[in-house]
Amino acid sequence: MNLIIISPEKMIYNGKVSAVSVPGKNGRFTVLHNHAAIISTLVKGSIDYKTEEGTSSLEISSGLVEVNKNNITICIEQ
């Protein structure tokens, strides 16, 4: 899967991941390979994503996530 994380100031991450967990408005959820298409608002919490190098975490105050055909785009406010 390809993950892009952007903020109004800069591109934070653009690369391959095997899993992404986000703090959705209706609860935390994890996106895995071939996840159904979804758009969700994000609330304060952490985005955790797993790459070949390991797991990374990013604290956010709010945002929006779109998942479509193994492409995940997350726009955040920190």
Side-chain angles (χ1 to χ4, degrees), residues 21-35:
S21 293
V22 295
K25 182 178 180 181
N26 293 323
R28 186 166 189 81
F29 65 93
T30 300
V31 176
L32 300 172
H33 186 70
N34 289 332
H35 193 285

Side-chain angles (χ1 to χ4, degrees), residues 1 7 18 20 24 29-30 33-36 40-44 46-47 50 58 61-63 65 67-68 73-74 78:
M1 296 184 304
S7 74
S18 58
V20 180
F29 65 93
T30 300
H33 186 70
N34 289 332
H35 193 285
S40 176
T41 55
L42 302 177
V43 296
K44 186 174 183 174
S46 67
I47 296 173
K50 186 174 181 181
L58 176 66
S61 61
S62 65
V65 60
V67 179
N68 191 16
T73 304
I74 304 175
Q78 287 185 298

Side-chain angles (χ1 to χ4, degrees), residues 46-73:
S46 67
I47 296 173
D48 302 312
Y49 52 99
K50 186 174 181 181
T51 66
E52 289 183 2
E53 292 80 34
T55 302
S56 296
S57 185
L58 176 66
E59 292 296 320
I60 66 165
S61 61
S62 65
L64 178 72
V65 60
E66 177 187 21
V67 179
N68 191 16
K69 297 180 181 175
N70 291 317
N71 291 303
I72 306 156
T73 304

